[in-house]
């Protein structure tokens, strides 16, 4: 016998032995030889294959080491879509599921379910042709996934070929790729040692490890696989139940979860759930619930599917995990619109599969409602990928020096004033100012947290219309510190622009021309460009028409700011009534929210600085004469409309009243001067009569408008 023949024989027996031991280890969980023995056989296989490369087969265990990197993943269209599961979070939801199943089947007997742990990894499809693994694909969007064949080949518990006999000519096995808890901790330790980022949880780690263009990286990551479903099957015979299919698979060398059970009726499901809840911690992998599947396949077929999930299966999820830790501080983050969000800084704690050191507190109302104080021991909850949150405070453990959370007076990013949002409401006929949960940085134009959005809005088509100043470029200019406020746009030079990535000579020139052109604008556009909350394009036009000049608008806004501060300090009705009568509120369509927002915007010195800089840079518009609101005959008069008018629409009536300087509001209060009563009036009439508000019928309104 030649060397080669001998090698061929030895290789065959080594491959068989390694496959067999792999099967004993992974599928039966009953190894017969120690790891060191296995490694010895494996090394011998590698040496022989190195000496006779052409004798290496695609299903050789040596192929699990990974292959040369790909440029990109190919696409795989799933012949049978990969669905997701409907979720249940309570026993009652499981009972409802079971009731629906039995109703559809028209059977009152308890249904037998296959109950399985719900693995927290990622779904995979494995195609076996004549027993040989030919393709592995991710779920993707359910219809099209990624071809990750070289990667799945590296996973030891994925058989490279099926064993035994009787397997179908074509079989698409589906299951979960996951990273065991120990491998996850090990990987994160290595990541941190190397100065790389740690993975948030085993699922992310599994997904990140599988979706590697270089499958040698996947090979180093200790992923595992459990089979639990199937797609396309070309078989002459197939079992009658889900659990029989899985039993058959074990004979073929496919790894199924030893925790899988057949249970009877909803009672059996709930018992299984409780048992697995108790076992969860001690399992070597993460699960986030259990799955129930109607065991009989003919029943599955009868039950069918809804949009994205089968009617015959249900995921029963564990409640979000909760732990306690200490609240070290509360900081405030400024969002893109200037909203301040309190963020809890926590003593790091492991919960829901990840180490958590921050949690959201949503808003200040929540901080007060939960009475969260710095130094408190708090209960933290986290479910799956959801942002961790503080559930409550353990009051019995509150230290004497626990500190109350205070909203900063100044924006932590730009130093501008922070203001609480307010709303005006009518309460028993009185106008009151109500404080809302949201706090906002008023430095709209000067706050770097809001800068990108502010600049994009400023340059937008309906604002100053600077063509070519798009998202990517703005991000680049901010990163290069060339833009600190919208006014800096007008200081950009050709040299600065042409030096940027993807920016040629010509595009720099075009952009500069667009910037120069934008200097000539209208007051309405300029106002809209400021991005003042509550002031849209239409309000900007109304304001521009009403005040005629920026100075006139600014002084009305500043006056309103002063009145607002007064009124807020003092809930006196006389003051709130003044507020409704102030110049800013006489502008048609400018309600209390927009007025307050204008007051805050113009009241912030940082914004004034930017506006001055913009004007100094040459941004200008034609200014009209200052039209006094008092010119209107109905100035200072407040109207409310109820019921249908015959000769005009409510909208027309409103416009005509406003054109004469009157104000139309939505509800009746003591400040209302007239209630216009049409056909079939609503409850406003009773309220007006209670408060003694004067009523006008349609004819009287016409007289008033036409006189
Ligand atoms: S069966 C048509 N069984 O859960 C039903 N899914 O929420 C196909 N999952 O995408 C899924 N463990 O990634 C099934 N024992 C199990 C599972 C399981 C985890 C995942 C799977 C699926 C997701 C749906």
């Amino acid at each position: 016998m030649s060397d080669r023949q001998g090698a061929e024989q030895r290789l065959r027996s080594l491959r068989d032995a390694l496959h067999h031991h792999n099967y004993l280890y992974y599928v039966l969980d009953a190894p017969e030889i120690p790891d060191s023995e296995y490694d010895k056989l494996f090394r011998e296989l590698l040496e022989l294959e190195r000496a006779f490369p052409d004798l290496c087969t695609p299903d050789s265990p040596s192929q699990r080491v990974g292959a040369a990197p790909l440029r990109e993943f190919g696409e795989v269209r799933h012949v049978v879509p990969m669905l997701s599961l409907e979720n249940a979070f309570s026993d009652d939801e499981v009972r409802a599921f079971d009731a629906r199943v039995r109703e559809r089947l028209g059977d009152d007997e308890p249904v037998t379910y296959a109950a399985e742990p719900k693995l927290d990894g990622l779904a995979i499809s494995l195609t076996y042709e004549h027993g040989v693994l030919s393709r592995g694909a991710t779920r993707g969007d359910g219809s099209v996934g990624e071809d990750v064949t070289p990667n799945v080949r590296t996973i030891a518990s994925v058989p490279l070929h099926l064993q035994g006999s009787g397997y179908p000519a074509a079989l698409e096995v589906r299951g979960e790729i996951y990273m065991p808890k120990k491998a996850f901790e090990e990987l994160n330790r290595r990541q941190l040692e190397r100065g790389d980022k740690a993975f948030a949880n085993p699922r992310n780690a599994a997904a990140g490890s599988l979706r590697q263009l270089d499958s040698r990286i996947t090979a180093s990551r200790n992923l595992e696989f459990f089979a639990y479903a199937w797609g396309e099957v070309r078989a002459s015979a197939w079992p009658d139940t889900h659990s029989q299919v899985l039993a058959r698979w074990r004979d073929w060398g496919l790894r199924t979860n030893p925790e899988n059970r057949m249970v009877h009726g909803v009672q059996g499901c709930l018992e299984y759930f409780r048992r697995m809840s108790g076992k969860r911690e001690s399992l070597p992998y993460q699960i986030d619930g259990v799955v129930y599947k109607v065991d009989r396949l003919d029943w599955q077929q009868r039950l069918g599917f809804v949009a994205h999930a089968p009617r015959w299966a249900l995921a029963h999820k564990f409640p979000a995990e909760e732990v306690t830790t200490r609240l070290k501080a509360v900081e405030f983050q400024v969002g893109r619109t200037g909203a301040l969000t309190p963020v809890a800084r926590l003593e790091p704690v492991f919960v829901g599969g990840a180490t958590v050191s921050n949690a959201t507190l949503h808003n200040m109302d929540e901080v007060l409602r939960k009475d969260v104080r710095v130094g408190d021991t708090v209960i933290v909850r986290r479910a799956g990928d959801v942002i961790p949150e503080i559930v409550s405070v353990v009051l019995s453990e509150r230290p004497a020096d626990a500190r109350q959370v205070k909203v900063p007076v100044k924006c932590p990013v730009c130093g501008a004033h922070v203001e609480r949002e307010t709303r005006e409401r009518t309460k028993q006929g009185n106008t009151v100012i109500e404080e809302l949960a949201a706090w906002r940085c008023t430095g709209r134009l000067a706050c770097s947290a809001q800068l990108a959005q502010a600049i994009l809005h400023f340059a937008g088509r309906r604002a100053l219309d600077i063509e070519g100043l798009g998202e990517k470029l703005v991000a680049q200019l901010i990163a290069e510190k060339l833009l600190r406020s919208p006014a800096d746009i007008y200081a950009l030079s050709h040299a600065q622009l042409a030096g940027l990535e993807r920016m040629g000579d010509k595009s720099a020139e075009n952009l500069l021309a667009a910037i120069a052109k934008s200097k000539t604008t209208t007051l309405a556009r300029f106002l809209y460009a400021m991005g003042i909350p509550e002031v849209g394009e239409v309000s900007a036009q109304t304001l521009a028409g009403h005040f005629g000049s920026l100075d006139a608008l600014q002084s009305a806004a500043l006056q309103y700011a002063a009145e607002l501060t007064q009124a807020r300090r003092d809930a006196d009705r006389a003051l709130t009534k003044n507020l409704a009568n102030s110049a800013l509120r006489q502008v048609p369509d400018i309600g209390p929210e927009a007025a307050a927002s204008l007051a805050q915007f113009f009241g912030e010195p940082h914004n004034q600085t930017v506006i001055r800089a913009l004007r100094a840079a040459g941004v200008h518009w034609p200014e009209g004469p200052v039209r006094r609101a008092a010119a209107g005959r109905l100035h200072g008069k407040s109207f409310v409309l109820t019921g249908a008018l015959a000769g005009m629409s409510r909208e027309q009536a409103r416009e005509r009243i406003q054109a004469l300087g009157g104000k139309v509001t939505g509800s009746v209060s003591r400040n209302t001067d007239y209630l216009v009563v049409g056909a079939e009036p609503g409850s406003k009439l009773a309220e007006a009569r209670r408060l003694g508000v004067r009523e006008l019928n349609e004819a009287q309104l016409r007289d008033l408008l036409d006189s």
Side-chain angles (χ1 to χ4, degrees):
M1 190 164 66
S2 72
D3 268 8
R4 190 184 159 77
Q5 271 175 331
E8 197 167 0
Q9 246 176 38
R10 179 66 188 150
L11 271 173
R12 197 172 309 128
S13 90
L14 280 170
R15 278 201 304 267
D16 288 349
L18 286 165
H19 276 309
H20 179 64
H21 290 302
N22 221 32
Y23 170 69
L24 293 176
Y25 185 90
Y26 283 110
V27 180
L28 301 188
D29 197 15
E32 283 172 359
I33 57 169
D35 288 1
S36 56
E37 199 71 21
Y38 182 93
D39 291 344
K40 230 171 90 187
L41 295 172
F42 193 75
R43 275 200 304 275
E44 191 187 342
L45 175 91
L46 288 183
E47 272 160 34
L48 267 180
E49 285 183 347
R50 203 169 305 139
F52 301 94
D54 58 314
L55 294 182
C56 174
T57 56
D59 65 346
S60 163
S62 66
Q63 296 311 292
R64 296 201 188 275
V65 293
L70 305 173
R71 271 159 171 266
E72 58 177 4
F73 296 115
E75 277 190 357
V76 172
R77 183 162 287 280
H78 301 298
V79 177
V80 180
M82 290 182 80
L83 303 172
S84 54
L85 294 170
E86 192 201 330
N87 289 324
F89 293 93
S90 68
D91 290 5
D92 278 346
E93 286 174 278
V94 178
R95 288 192 191 99
F97 161 77
D98 174 66
R100 283 197 303 274
V101 164
R102 279 182 296 126
E103 194 187 47
R104 277 206 171 248
L105 293 173
D107 197 325
D108 230 22
E109 294 299 298
V111 173
T112 299
Y113 292 98
E116 305 173 347
K118 186 171 187 304
L119 302 152
D120 202 5
L122 69 151
I124 192 85
S125 143
L126 304 172
T127 304
Y128 288 89
E129 287 173 89
H130 300 288
V132 179
L133 174 67
S134 61
R135 197 168 68 185
T138 62
R139 176 173 184 272
D141 64 3
S143 308
V144 178
E146 284 171 333
D147 186 336
V148 288
T149 311
N151 309 64
V152 294
R153 277 190 203 289
T154 70
I155 300 169
S157 42
V158 170
L160 298 176
H161 62 223
L162 302 178
Q163 65 183 37
S165 60
Y167 48 74
L171 170 62
E172 186 201 338
V173 176
R174 292 177 178 178
E176 200 89 345
I177 302 275
Y178 64 91
M179 186 173 285
K181 291 175 186 169
K182 251 172 73 189
F184 170 68
E185 281 154 29
E186 176 74 13
L187 171 64
N188 266 355
R189 229 197 37 240
R190 282 202 319 254
Q191 290 284 106
L192 292 176
E193 261 170 29
R194 261 185 277 136
D196 288 337
K197 249 184 87 181
F199 289 98
N201 54 49
R203 184 184 3 164
N204 289 359
S209 301
L210 185 71
R211 297 182 60 254
Q212 286 283 344
L213 291 168
D214 187 344
S215 52
R216 288 168 300 196
I217 299 178
T218 313
S220 72
R221 293 284 173 87
N222 292 317
L223 295 175
E224 292 189 5
F225 168 73
F226 276 127
Y228 55 61
W230 56 93
E232 216 192 356
V233 179
R234 266 186 284 127
S236 45
W238 196 246
D240 296 327
T241 65
H242 180 86
S243 40
Q244 282 165 13
V245 172
L246 265 54
R248 185 78 53 91
W249 283 0
R250 276 168 78 81
D251 298 338
W252 296 341
L254 288 162
R255 186 167 181 246
T256 55
N257 197 321
E259 306 295 339
N260 293 351
R261 294 285 181 279
M262 267 161 67
V263 299
H264 298 287
V266 71
Q267 218 42 50
C269 291
L270 297 177
E271 275 160 26
Y272 181 80
F273 179 80
R274 285 201 227 306
R275 212 167 56 70
M276 291 314 295
S277 305
K279 223 175 161 178
R280 184 182 185 189
E281 278 307 301
S282 64
L283 290 173
Y285 45 81
Q286 248 188 30
I287 63 175
D288 58 353
V290 303
V291 182
Y292 313 121
K293 302 169 180 175
V294 171
D295 201 33
R296 272 180 62 166
L297 300 182
D298 58 337
W299 282 0
Q300 287 190 2
Q301 190 133 32
R302 267 173 60 194
L303 288 162
F305 300 87
V306 287
H308 287 293
R311 281 206 197 86
W312 43 264
L314 183 74
H316 188 181
K317 305 274 277 259
F318 294 135
E321 200 188 333
E322 294 183 356
V323 294
T324 60
T325 188
R326 207 181 65 88
L327 179 66
K328 293 198 299 185
V330 172
E331 285 168 15
F332 286 81
Q333 272 175 1
V334 187
R336 275 157 51 89
T337 59
L340 263 67
T341 310
V343 179
R345 305 291 180 210
L346 305 165
E347 208 74 76
V349 61
F350 194 76
V351 55
T355 301
V356 161
S357 42
N358 302 312
T360 175
L361 280 160
H362 301 111
N363 57 47
M364 273 311 284
D365 271 10
E366 179 157 314
V367 172
L368 296 177
R369 188 160 40 81
K370 292 181 176 165
D371 189 19
V372 176
R373 301 190 192 176
V374 176
D376 270 340
T377 294
V378 292
I379 297 174
V380 176
R381 171 165 60 198
R382 181 175 180 278
D385 277 345
V386 184
I387 301 169
E389 60 172 353
I390 290 185
V391 182
S392 60
V393 170
V394 185
L395 279 178
S396 58
E397 291 189 28
R398 170 165 289 168
D401 61 350
R403 273 179 297 118
Q404 238 149 12
V405 178
K406 290 223 171 62
V407 181
V409 182
K410 299 207 150 134
C411 169
V413 175
C414 73
H417 286 290
V418 166
E419 294 243 14
R420 185 165 194 173
E421 303 220 315
T422 57
R423 179 171 60 189
E424 267 177 53
R425 263 191 2 140
T426 322
K427 227 187 203 162
Q428 290 155 350
N430 287 341
T431 309
V432 291
I433 295 180
E434 199 178 58
E435 304 204 302
L436 301 178
W439 295 73
R440 197 177 286 280
C441 161
T442 57
R444 169 76 191 159
L445 300 179
C447 181
S448 63
Q450 305 174 63
L451 188 58
Q453 208 182 45
I455 288 184
L456 285 169
H457 180 83
F458 181 88
R461 206 164 48 78
R462 293 159 188 279
L464 287 219
D465 191 18
I466 306 178
E467 209 186 310
L469 195 57
E471 213 164 314
K472 288 218 176 83
L473 183 57
V474 167
Q476 241 185 95
L477 290 166
I478 291 174
E480 298 282 332
K481 305 235 178 326
L482 292 173
L483 288 186
R484 287 192 174 82
S485 91
D488 292 342
I489 295 172
Y490 297 96
L492 291 170
S493 71
H494 187 276
Q496 284 170 335
L497 287 174
L500 295 173
E501 230 178 277
R502 281 191 304 264
M503 175 67 91
D505 230 25
K506 187 72 197 153
S507 17
E509 243 167 62
N510 289 344
L511 182 59
L512 284 174
I515 291 173
K517 197 170 129 212
S518 76
K519 287 184 187 173
T520 307
T521 186
T522 63
L523 177 56
R525 275 180 181 267
F526 185 79
L527 278 178
Y528 176 65
M530 298 294 95
I532 304 163
E534 308 286 340
V535 180
E537 216 182 343
V538 175
S539 318
Q541 279 161 4
T542 316
L543 285 164
H546 188 90
F547 288 102
S549 77
L550 186 63
D551 290 342
L553 167 60
Q554 287 203 62
S555 62
L558 292 177
Q559 189 196 333
Y560 193 76
E563 288 166 353
L564 195 61
T565 313
Q566 267 294 330
R568 244 189 228 164
R569 265 193 223 123
D570 194 335
D572 187 345
R573 194 167 62 79
L575 285 168
T576 47
K577 178 155 173 122
N578 282 346
L579 217 46
N581 287 334
S582 27
L584 199 52
R585 293 280 288 277
Q586 299 314 307
V587 184
D589 281 333
I590 296 299
E593 285 81 20
S597 182
L598 284 159
Q600 285 174 6
F601 178 85
F602 287 109
E604 173 49 51
H606 290 71
N607 293 332
Q608 295 283 359
T609 308
V610 177
I611 291 174
R612 271 198 303 276
L614 283 165
R615 297 181 91 167
V619 177
H620 66 282
W621 51 86
E623 296 219 322
V626 182
R627 252 194 277 151
R628 294 234 54 93
R633 197 159 26 79
L634 297 180
H635 172 66
K637 297 288 179 230
S638 168
F639 291 73
V640 174
L641 308 173
T642 183
L645 301 176
M648 58 180 127
S649 71
R650 290 246 290 252
E651 197 42 46
Q652 284 166 335
R654 185 172 132 96
E655 276 170 9
R656 292 201 56 190
I657 294 168
Q658 286 173 342
L660 292 172
K663 219 164 68 64
V664 179
T665 65
S667 55
V668 177
S669 74
R670 281 184 211 283
N671 301 327
T672 309
D673 294 293
Y674 299 103
L675 180 75
V676 179
V677 186
E680 293 181 46
S683 62
K684 288 173 193 166
L685 182 57
E687 181 67 9
R689 289 195 175 149
R690 204 177 63 76
L691 295 171
V693 171
R694 206 171 140 192
E695 293 166 37
L696 294 178
N697 61 27
E698 189 169 343
Q700 289 168 320
L701 173 68
R702 272 187 192 288
D703 284 348
L704 191 64
L705 293 173
D706 296 340
S707 67

